[in-house]
Amino acid sequence: MNFWHIFKRELRQLFIKDARRAFYLFGASAVYVIFFGLLYSPGVVKYVPIVVYDQDQTQLSRSLVQAFEDSERYEVIAYVTTQEEMEEYLRNKKAQAALAVPPDFSREIKQGRASQILLEANGSNIVIANAVMTSAQEIMMEFSAGIGKGLVEAIGQMPDQAMNRVAPIDFRLRVINNPTLSYLNFFVLGVAMAALQQGILLSVGGSMTRERFGELSGVHPVTVMMGKLSPYWIGGTLSYFLALLISAEVFDIPLRGSMLSLMLLGTVFSFAVAAMGSLMAAVCKDEVGFTQMSLTYTVPAFIYSGYAWPIHSMDGFSTAMSHLFPLTYIGDNVRDLMLSGHAPLLTYGIAVLGCIGLSCFMISVLIYGRRIETSQESKQAAV
Amino acid sequence: MTFWQVVKKELRRMFIGEPKTALMLIGIPVVYIVLFGLVYMSNSVKYMPTVIYDQDQTQLSRNLTQAFADSERYEIIAYVNTQEEMEEYLRENKARVAVVVPPKFTHDVKVGIGSQVLVEVNGSNLMYANAVITSAQEIVQTFSAGVGRNLVEAVGQVPSEAIKKAVPIQFGVRILNNPTFAYSNFVLAGLGANGLQLGIMLALCTSLTREYSRLDEWEGVSSQRMILGKLFPYWIFGVVAFALYTAIAVNVFNIPFRGSVASLLIIGTVFTFAVVAVGSFYSAIAPDEVYAVQLPMLYIMPAFLFSGYVWPHLAMNDFSLAFSKILPLTYMADTVRDLMLNGYAPFLLHDVIMLLILGAVLLAMSTLIFSKRRRKYEHA
């Protein structure tokens, strides 16, 4: 048997004899992209339920509340008249935020004594709390500045001038690459890569743990491994493109990077994962054991990849761990390529993935070469 | 065989016959909580690499950049002299944040024209963007207010009066339950629960499937007793694993625990019951043991992300919302976090009931399917 025989034999197994493998290989990442694309399609958290505790009840306080009503970030669900009621809403999670306007709000401001607004937010879910933080401050500053202008004018000064003296430095924020802070752009690609990895692992694992090595006796182990892994390598790369295509075309995640860079990265990653899968399969008793192992591996690999929680903020041990997972070298790079068009660590990522792939491949060749020999010997012994 | 004999037989398999089973059941949640506790140990994103592009180079502008250097959120890695250099730092991810001070900054401030500071942040990883949003504005505003005070004094006004006129509304924010935005408080309880359900599923999923091929060992034992007896140990040890990883989260990783132990144990117990029931369902329908361990994949990953634990229900569309309703984790993760951080979970009772219903329905279904398939194999 030469390379092409083994290659064709493997293709038959992949698509016909055990079609489940093809489903994992091509389906996993596509299904995940669609699934999680739908989940995160709103992009940002809007309509956070907010309760208003307006102790002033004047035109001014109502126009402040109106500013919150007008923002799509908030949905005013109730107006309450006591502190207890407000806290009840927060406690029962009917509201995630509360806006408290103090009594005499309007009068204090008009008399030039200034007043204070309190915004309370439930911080147990940071995603919601961040949405509140980003928008509330903006609404408040604008409102306050508008009122301040009027007050200063009333005492016969030029408002802009007064403003420039009191708050002389303006703060401007520019968020690049993901200006709307969209969760979809931030998260989906990484989950898709984790699913791709899982798909490749499961299909390669099925192939290696079910192989009858006796049938391959006499073939050079490198040829065997090349022939067996190539279909998964190619299939994984195709599946990678499918996932990116769906992200870009269906869910409008920007695709700003060059196709060539994306292709190189995906190809090397598929190779590394396929080779790693064959090595993992070597230490497992059967396909059941392999599946258990690879499922246990998925979540830590994702979390340690630095895709969500940056490696920069990890301690020494975690940073060291993160370098071991192939996902670390693709997640950030794919996101950078898609969102900003340039991934500074691309070459490094590709080089490391190549090294992981090659070393796993070589060890696999040694292990499975040994297995082919043993099965050959036992066959001869039987004869 | 009595119920207890079935239990003993399963226990023997878990701990002696295939000790891997017990290891997965108890080990996965514990190892997960330790691994993830370590990852999130620093709790917030600090020392973000920052590049300064100060076009003014005066005492005032240096004071401002010093304010950024003094905050533990930022670490100034470079001072650059051109826009291109600054963009290069951002582009190459050497810096995640850039602070730009315009030319004539001091001059404009002093003559009363006002000036502005631009902060740029790379938003592709939201963790950085959120950290900047919560801290940069504060730094600049505090600085601005301090400078403003002196300016107003210089023109012979009383500063506090002038400030009250120009910025009449002060804005206080109070974040309840997790005031420092600590990430491990936010995420660890849920990741632990995710590990728990993975451990239970992987350990349990083959337990019914494998019996289809050795039904002769079970002659005279009803399917109900068989299933209940076989599942019972997984439930008990699932609860043990739950208690264990929660104890680690609280004692080793300092996650606050403000609720009552009884509420926590109740939700943990019914959740474990529901997950055991999901596992038994997969186990009953799987054609073989390989399928039995692969089917839970359909549940595990989506369960965490769709549970509303991170991405909230209020931002989900109808499809996602409907899907999340059938996942046991939806009724557990948020509630456990509320119990830990707030000390009170408003939906505790509702969640307990939902988990019991889910568990009971799935258990009934798996018993039905199992006994049907069992009869078929016995006839064959």
Short mmCIF file of all heavy atoms in Angstrom, two decimals, chain A residues 228-284:
data_model
loop_
_atom_site.label_atom_id
_atom_site.label_comp_id
_atom_site.label_asym_id
_atom_site.label_seq_id
_atom_site.Cartn_x
_atom_site.Cartn_y
_atom_site.Cartn_z
N LYS A 228 -3.20 8.54 6.82
CA LYS A 228 -4.35 8.53 7.71
C LYS A 228 -4.75 9.94 8.17
O LYS A 228 -5.92 10.24 8.31
CB LYS A 228 -4.06 7.66 8.96
CG LYS A 228 -4.27 6.17 8.71
CD LYS A 228 -4.09 5.37 9.98
CE LYS A 228 -5.22 5.54 10.95
NZ LYS A 228 -6.50 5.00 10.47
N LEU A 229 -3.74 10.79 8.40
CA LEU A 229 -4.07 12.11 8.96
C LEU A 229 -4.45 13.14 7.89
O LEU A 229 -5.20 14.07 8.17
CB LEU A 229 -2.90 12.65 9.79
CG LEU A 229 -2.63 11.92 11.11
CD1 LEU A 229 -1.54 12.63 11.88
CD2 LEU A 229 -3.89 11.83 11.96
N SER A 230 -3.95 12.95 6.66
CA SER A 230 -4.22 13.97 5.63
C SER A 230 -5.71 14.28 5.44
O SER A 230 -6.08 15.46 5.36
CB SER A 230 -3.62 13.55 4.29
OG SER A 230 -2.24 13.50 4.42
N PRO A 231 -6.58 13.27 5.35
CA PRO A 231 -7.99 13.62 5.15
C PRO A 231 -8.53 14.53 6.26
O PRO A 231 -9.33 15.44 5.99
CB PRO A 231 -8.71 12.27 5.19
CG PRO A 231 -7.67 11.28 4.84
CD PRO A 231 -6.39 11.81 5.36
N TYR A 232 -8.07 14.29 7.49
CA TYR A 232 -8.57 15.10 8.61
C TYR A 232 -7.95 16.49 8.57
O TYR A 232 -8.57 17.49 8.93
CB TYR A 232 -8.28 14.40 9.94
CG TYR A 232 -8.92 13.04 9.97
CD1 TYR A 232 -8.19 11.90 9.64
CD2 TYR A 232 -10.27 12.91 10.25
CE1 TYR A 232 -8.79 10.66 9.62
CE2 TYR A 232 -10.88 11.68 10.23
CZ TYR A 232 -10.14 10.55 9.91
OH TYR A 232 -10.75 9.33 9.87
N TRP A 233 -6.70 16.52 8.15
CA TRP A 233 -6.01 17.80 8.02
C TRP A 233 -6.71 18.67 6.97
O TRP A 233 -7.09 19.82 7.24
CB TRP A 233 -4.55 17.52 7.65
CG TRP A 233 -3.68 18.73 7.48
CD1 TRP A 233 -4.00 20.01 7.82
CD2 TRP A 233 -2.37 18.75 6.93
NE1 TRP A 233 -2.95 20.85 7.52
CE2 TRP A 233 -1.95 20.11 6.97
CE3 TRP A 233 -1.51 17.79 6.41
CZ2 TRP A 233 -0.69 20.50 6.50
CZ3 TRP A 233 -0.26 18.19 5.95
CH2 TRP A 233 0.14 19.52 6.00
N ILE A 234 -6.93 18.09 5.80
CA ILE A 234 -7.60 18.85 4.73
C ILE A 234 -9.03 19.19 5.14
O ILE A 234 -9.49 20.33 5.00
CB ILE A 234 -7.59 18.04 3.42
CG1 ILE A 234 -6.14 17.81 2.99
CG2 ILE A 234 -8.37 18.76 2.33
CD1 ILE A 234 -5.99 16.78 1.90
N GLY A 235 -9.71 18.20 5.67
CA GLY A 235 -11.10 18.42 6.10
C GLY A 235 -11.19 19.50 7.15
O GLY A 235 -12.06 20.37 7.11
N GLY A 236 -10.25 19.48 8.11
CA GLY A 236 -10.24 20.49 9.16
C GLY A 236 -10.05 21.89 8.59
O GLY A 236 -10.70 22.84 9.00
N THR A 237 -9.15 21.99 7.61
CA THR A 237 -8.91 23.30 7.00
C THR A 237 -10.16 23.80 6.28
O THR A 237 -10.53 24.97 6.37
CB THR A 237 -7.73 23.22 6.01
OG1 THR A 237 -6.65 22.54 6.66
CG2 THR A 237 -7.27 24.58 5.58
N LEU A 238 -10.83 22.90 5.56
CA LEU A 238 -12.06 23.30 4.88
C LEU A 238 -13.12 23.76 5.88
O LEU A 238 -13.80 24.76 5.69
CB LEU A 238 -12.62 22.13 4.05
CG LEU A 238 -11.81 21.73 2.82
CD1 LEU A 238 -12.41 20.50 2.16
CD2 LEU A 238 -11.74 22.89 1.84
N SER A 239 -13.21 22.99 6.94
CA SER A 239 -14.18 23.29 7.97
C SER A 239 -13.91 24.65 8.61
O SER A 239 -14.82 25.41 8.94
CB SER A 239 -14.12 22.17 8.99
OG SER A 239 -14.89 22.43 10.06
N TYR A 240 -12.63 24.95 8.76
CA TYR A 240 -12.19 26.25 9.29
C TYR A 240 -12.69 27.39 8.40
O TYR A 240 -13.25 28.37 8.87
CB TYR A 240 -10.67 26.21 9.38
CG TYR A 240 -9.93 27.52 9.52
CD1 TYR A 240 -9.78 28.13 10.76
CD2 TYR A 240 -9.33 28.11 8.41
CE1 TYR A 240 -9.07 29.30 10.89
CE2 TYR A 240 -8.61 29.27 8.53
CZ TYR A 240 -8.48 29.88 9.77
OH TYR A 240 -7.77 31.04 9.89
N PHE A 241 -12.53 27.20 7.09
CA PHE A 241 -13.01 28.24 6.18
C PHE A 241 -14.51 28.37 6.20
O PHE A 241 -15.07 29.46 6.10
CB PHE A 241 -12.52 27.97 4.76
CG PHE A 241 -11.18 28.59 4.52
CD1 PHE A 241 -10.06 27.80 4.39
CD2 PHE A 241 -11.04 29.96 4.48
CE1 PHE A 241 -8.82 28.37 4.22
CE2 PHE A 241 -9.81 30.54 4.31
CZ PHE A 241 -8.69 29.74 4.17
N LEU A 242 -15.18 27.25 6.32
CA LEU A 242 -16.63 27.27 6.39
C LEU A 242 -17.08 28.11 7.59
O LEU A 242 -17.97 28.96 7.48
CB LEU A 242 -17.15 25.83 6.52
CG LEU A 242 -18.65 25.64 6.44
CD1 LEU A 242 -19.16 26.05 5.07
CD2 LEU A 242 -19.02 24.18 6.71
N ALA A 243 -16.41 27.88 8.73
CA ALA A 243 -16.78 28.62 9.94
C ALA A 243 -16.54 30.12 9.75
O ALA A 243 -17.38 30.94 10.12
CB ALA A 243 -15.98 28.10 11.14
N LEU A 244 -15.39 30.47 9.15
CA LEU A 244 -15.11 31.89 8.93
C LEU A 244 -16.10 32.51 7.96
O LEU A 244 -16.56 33.64 8.13
CB LEU A 244 -13.68 32.08 8.40
CG LEU A 244 -12.53 31.70 9.32
CD1 LEU A 244 -11.22 32.17 8.73
CD2 LEU A 244 -12.72 32.30 10.71
N LEU A 245 -16.44 31.72 6.95
CA LEU A 245 -17.38 32.20 5.93
C LEU A 245 -18.74 32.50 6.55
O LEU A 245 -19.33 33.56 6.31
CB LEU A 245 -17.53 31.13 4.85
CG LEU A 245 -18.19 31.58 3.56
CD1 LEU A 245 -17.21 32.44 2.78
CD2 LEU A 245 -18.60 30.37 2.73
N ILE A 246 -19.20 31.58 7.38
CA ILE A 246 -20.50 31.81 8.02
C ILE A 246 -20.42 33.03 8.94
O ILE A 246 -21.31 33.88 8.96
CB ILE A 246 -20.94 30.57 8.83
CG1 ILE A 246 -21.09 29.37 7.91
CG2 ILE A 246 -22.27 30.84 9.52
CD1 ILE A 246 -21.37 28.07 8.63
N SER A 247 -19.31 33.14 9.70
CA SER A 247 -19.18 34.30 10.61
C SER A 247 -19.26 35.60 9.83
O SER A 247 -19.91 36.55 10.24
CB SER A 247 -17.85 34.30 11.35
OG SER A 247 -17.47 33.04 11.70
N ALA A 248 -18.56 35.64 8.70
CA ALA A 248 -18.49 36.89 7.96
C ALA A 248 -19.77 37.15 7.18
O ALA A 248 -20.29 38.27 7.19
CB ALA A 248 -17.29 36.88 7.02
N GLU A 249 -20.29 36.12 6.51
CA GLU A 249 -21.43 36.35 5.61
C GLU A 249 -22.76 36.39 6.35
O GLU A 249 -23.62 37.20 6.05
CB GLU A 249 -21.47 35.26 4.53
CG GLU A 249 -20.29 35.30 3.58
CD GLU A 249 -20.19 36.64 2.85
OE1 GLU A 249 -21.24 37.18 2.46
OE2 GLU A 249 -19.06 37.14 2.70
N VAL A 250 -22.94 35.49 7.30
CA VAL A 250 -24.24 35.42 7.98
C VAL A 250 -24.30 36.38 9.16
O VAL A 250 -25.29 37.07 9.35
CB VAL A 250 -24.54 33.98 8.45
CG1 VAL A 250 -25.90 33.91 9.12
CG2 VAL A 250 -24.48 33.01 7.28
N PHE A 251 -23.22 36.43 9.92
CA PHE A 251 -23.29 37.22 11.14
C PHE A 251 -22.54 38.56 11.04
O PHE A 251 -22.38 39.25 12.04
CB PHE A 251 -22.79 36.41 12.32
CG PHE A 251 -23.69 35.23 12.61
CD1 PHE A 251 -23.30 33.94 12.29
CD2 PHE A 251 -24.94 35.43 13.15
CE1 PHE A 251 -24.14 32.87 12.52
CE2 PHE A 251 -25.79 34.36 13.39
CZ PHE A 251 -25.39 33.09 13.07
N ASP A 252 -22.05 38.86 9.84
CA ASP A 252 -21.44 40.17 9.60
C ASP A 252 -20.27 40.49 10.51
O ASP A 252 -20.06 41.65 10.88
CB ASP A 252 -22.48 41.30 9.73
CG ASP A 252 -23.46 41.26 8.57
OD1 ASP A 252 -23.02 40.89 7.47
OD2 ASP A 252 -24.64 41.57 8.77
N ILE A 253 -19.53 39.50 10.92
CA ILE A 253 -18.29 39.79 11.63
C ILE A 253 -17.30 40.28 10.59
O ILE A 253 -17.15 39.67 9.53
CB ILE A 253 -17.78 38.52 12.34
CG1 ILE A 253 -18.79 38.11 13.40
CG2 ILE A 253 -16.40 38.76 12.95
CD1 ILE A 253 -18.46 36.85 14.12
N PRO A 254 -16.65 41.43 10.86
CA PRO A 254 -15.77 41.98 9.82
C PRO A 254 -14.65 41.02 9.45
O PRO A 254 -14.13 40.30 10.30
CB PRO A 254 -15.21 43.25 10.47
CG PRO A 254 -15.70 43.30 11.86
CD PRO A 254 -16.69 42.25 12.07
N LEU A 255 -14.33 41.00 8.17
CA LEU A 255 -13.21 40.17 7.71
C LEU A 255 -12.24 41.12 7.03
O LEU A 255 -12.42 41.47 5.88
CB LEU A 255 -13.72 39.10 6.75
CG LEU A 255 -12.84 37.88 6.47
CD1 LEU A 255 -13.65 36.80 5.83
CD2 LEU A 255 -11.61 38.20 5.68
N ARG A 256 -11.22 41.55 7.78
CA ARG A 256 -10.35 42.58 7.25
C ARG A 256 -8.97 42.05 6.89
O ARG A 256 -8.19 42.72 6.26
CB ARG A 256 -10.19 43.72 8.27
CG ARG A 256 -11.51 44.33 8.69
CD ARG A 256 -11.34 45.70 9.31
NE ARG A 256 -12.65 46.31 9.55
CZ ARG A 256 -13.24 46.38 10.75
NH1 ARG A 256 -12.62 45.91 11.81
NH2 ARG A 256 -14.42 46.94 10.87
N GLY A 257 -8.65 40.84 7.34
CA GLY A 257 -7.31 40.32 7.11
C GLY A 257 -7.16 39.70 5.73
O GLY A 257 -8.13 39.55 4.99
N SER A 258 -5.93 39.35 5.38
CA SER A 258 -5.71 38.75 4.07
C SER A 258 -6.07 37.28 4.13
O SER A 258 -5.86 36.59 5.13
CB SER A 258 -4.25 38.93 3.66
OG SER A 258 -3.47 37.92 4.24
N MET A 259 -6.62 36.79 3.03
CA MET A 259 -7.00 35.39 2.92
C MET A 259 -5.80 34.47 3.11
O MET A 259 -5.90 33.40 3.70
CB MET A 259 -7.64 35.14 1.55
CG MET A 259 -9.12 35.32 1.57
SD MET A 259 -9.77 34.48 3.01
CE MET A 259 -11.44 34.34 2.66
N LEU A 260 -4.67 34.93 2.58
CA LEU A 260 -3.48 34.09 2.66
C LEU A 260 -3.07 33.85 4.12
O LEU A 260 -2.82 32.71 4.52
CB LEU A 260 -2.34 34.77 1.89
CG LEU A 260 -1.05 33.95 1.81
CD1 LEU A 260 -1.27 32.73 0.92
CD2 LEU A 260 0.09 34.79 1.29
N SER A 261 -3.07 34.93 4.92
CA SER A 261 -2.71 34.77 6.33
C SER A 261 -3.69 33.84 7.03
O SER A 261 -3.31 32.96 7.79
CB SER A 261 -2.71 36.11 7.05
OG SER A 261 -2.02 37.07 6.34
N LEU A 262 -4.99 34.08 6.76
CA LEU A 262 -6.01 33.25 7.40
C LEU A 262 -5.82 31.79 7.01
O LEU A 262 -5.94 30.88 7.83
CB LEU A 262 -7.40 33.72 7.00
CG LEU A 262 -7.90 34.97 7.73
CD1 LEU A 262 -9.17 35.50 7.09
CD2 LEU A 262 -8.15 34.68 9.20
N MET A 263 -5.50 31.56 5.73
CA MET A 263 -5.36 30.19 5.25
C MET A 263 -4.16 29.51 5.90
O MET A 263 -4.26 28.38 6.37
CB MET A 263 -5.20 30.18 3.74
CG MET A 263 -5.40 28.81 3.15
SD MET A 263 -5.15 28.84 1.39
CE MET A 263 -3.38 28.74 1.32
N LEU A 264 -3.03 30.23 5.93
CA LEU A 264 -1.84 29.65 6.55
C LEU A 264 -2.12 29.22 7.99
O LEU A 264 -1.81 28.11 8.41
CB LEU A 264 -0.70 30.66 6.54
CG LEU A 264 0.13 30.73 5.27
CD1 LEU A 264 1.12 31.88 5.35
CD2 LEU A 264 0.87 29.41 5.10
N LEU A 265 -2.74 30.13 8.71
CA LEU A 265 -3.01 29.88 10.12
C LEU A 265 -3.91 28.65 10.29
O LEU A 265 -3.62 27.75 11.08
CB LEU A 265 -3.67 31.12 10.72
CG LEU A 265 -3.86 31.14 12.23
CD1 LEU A 265 -2.52 31.09 12.93
CD2 LEU A 265 -4.62 32.39 12.66
N GLY A 266 -5.00 28.61 9.52
CA GLY A 266 -5.94 27.50 9.63
C GLY A 266 -5.31 26.18 9.26
O GLY A 266 -5.53 25.14 9.90
N THR A 267 -4.48 26.19 8.22
CA THR A 267 -3.85 24.96 7.77
C THR A 267 -2.92 24.40 8.83
O THR A 267 -2.95 23.21 9.15
CB THR A 267 -3.04 25.23 6.48
OG1 THR A 267 -3.85 25.99 5.61
CG2 THR A 267 -2.63 23.95 5.82
N VAL A 268 -2.09 25.28 9.37
CA VAL A 268 -1.12 24.81 10.37
C VAL A 268 -1.84 24.34 11.63
O VAL A 268 -1.48 23.34 12.25
CB VAL A 268 -0.10 25.92 10.70
CG1 VAL A 268 0.96 25.40 11.64
CG2 VAL A 268 0.54 26.42 9.45
N PHE A 269 -2.89 25.07 11.99
CA PHE A 269 -3.65 24.68 13.19
C PHE A 269 -4.28 23.30 12.99
O PHE A 269 -4.19 22.44 13.88
CB PHE A 269 -4.73 25.73 13.46
CG PHE A 269 -5.63 25.41 14.62
CD1 PHE A 269 -5.16 25.48 15.93
CD2 PHE A 269 -6.96 25.04 14.42
CE1 PHE A 269 -5.98 25.19 17.00
CE2 PHE A 269 -7.78 24.75 15.49
CZ PHE A 269 -7.29 24.82 16.78
N SER A 270 -4.91 23.08 11.85
CA SER A 270 -5.54 21.77 11.60
C SER A 270 -4.51 20.66 11.68
O SER A 270 -4.76 19.59 12.23
CB SER A 270 -6.18 21.73 10.22
OG SER A 270 -7.19 22.67 10.14
N PHE A 271 -3.34 20.93 11.11
CA PHE A 271 -2.28 19.92 11.15
C PHE A 271 -1.88 19.63 12.60
O PHE A 271 -1.80 18.47 13.03
CB PHE A 271 -1.07 20.40 10.35
CG PHE A 271 0.14 19.53 10.51
CD1 PHE A 271 0.14 18.23 10.03
CD2 PHE A 271 1.27 20.00 11.17
CE1 PHE A 271 1.25 17.41 10.19
CE2 PHE A 271 2.38 19.19 11.34
CZ PHE A 271 2.37 17.90 10.85
N ALA A 272 -1.66 20.70 13.37
CA ALA A 272 -1.21 20.52 14.76
C ALA A 272 -2.25 19.74 15.56
O ALA A 272 -1.90 18.83 16.32
CB ALA A 272 -0.96 21.88 15.41
N VAL A 273 -3.53 20.08 15.38
CA VAL A 273 -4.56 19.41 16.16
C VAL A 273 -4.71 17.95 15.71
O VAL A 273 -4.86 17.04 16.55
CB VAL A 273 -5.90 20.16 16.06
CG1 VAL A 273 -7.01 19.39 16.76
CG2 VAL A 273 -5.78 21.53 16.68
N ALA A 274 -4.65 17.71 14.41
CA ALA A 274 -4.76 16.33 13.93
C ALA A 274 -3.63 15.48 14.50
O ALA A 274 -3.84 14.36 14.98
CB ALA A 274 -4.75 16.29 12.40
N ALA A 275 -2.41 16.02 14.46
CA ALA A 275 -1.26 15.27 14.98
C ALA A 275 -1.40 15.06 16.49
O ALA A 275 -1.12 13.98 17.01
CB ALA A 275 0.03 16.01 14.66
N MET A 276 -1.87 16.10 17.18
CA MET A 276 -2.04 15.97 18.62
C MET A 276 -3.11 14.93 18.94
O MET A 276 -2.96 14.15 19.88
CB MET A 276 -2.45 17.33 19.21
CG MET A 276 -2.37 17.39 20.71
SD MET A 276 -2.87 19.00 21.31
CE MET A 276 -4.63 18.89 21.18
N GLY A 277 -4.16 14.91 18.13
CA GLY A 277 -5.22 13.92 18.32
C GLY A 277 -4.70 12.50 18.19
O GLY A 277 -5.04 11.62 18.99
N SER A 278 -3.83 12.29 17.20
CA SER A 278 -3.32 10.93 17.02
C SER A 278 -2.45 10.53 18.20
O SER A 278 -2.45 9.37 18.64
CB SER A 278 -2.53 10.82 15.71
OG SER A 278 -1.32 11.52 15.81
N LEU A 279 -1.76 11.51 18.77
CA LEU A 279 -0.93 11.22 19.94
C LEU A 279 -1.80 10.93 21.17
O LEU A 279 -1.53 9.99 21.93
CB LEU A 279 -0.02 12.41 20.21
CG LEU A 279 1.10 12.20 21.22
CD1 LEU A 279 2.00 11.06 20.77
CD2 LEU A 279 1.91 13.47 21.37
N MET A 280 -2.86 11.74 21.34
CA MET A 280 -3.77 11.51 22.46
C MET A 280 -4.39 10.12 22.34
O MET A 280 -4.57 9.42 23.35
CB MET A 280 -4.89 12.56 22.47
CG MET A 280 -4.52 13.86 23.17
SD MET A 280 -5.71 15.18 22.80
CE MET A 280 -7.07 14.73 23.87
N ALA A 281 -4.74 9.74 21.12
CA ALA A 281 -5.38 8.43 20.92
C ALA A 281 -4.43 7.30 21.31
O ALA A 281 -4.87 6.22 21.72
CB ALA A 281 -5.82 8.28 19.47
N ALA A 282 -3.12 7.55 21.17
CA ALA A 282 -2.16 6.49 21.46
C ALA A 282 -2.18 6.10 22.94
O ALA A 282 -1.89 4.95 23.28
CB ALA A 282 -0.75 6.94 21.07
N VAL A 283 -2.54 7.02 23.80
CA VAL A 283 -2.52 6.70 25.23
C VAL A 283 -3.89 6.25 25.73
O VAL A 283 -4.05 5.95 26.91
CB VAL A 283 -2.03 7.90 26.09
CG1 VAL A 283 -0.61 8.25 25.74
CG2 VAL A 283 -2.94 9.10 25.93
N CYS A 284 -4.89 6.24 24.85
CA CYS A 284 -6.23 5.84 25.30
C CYS A 284 -6.51 4.38 24.94
O CYS A 284 -6.07 3.90 23.90
CB CYS A 284 -7.29 6.73 24.68
SG CYS A 284 -7.22 8.38 25.29
#
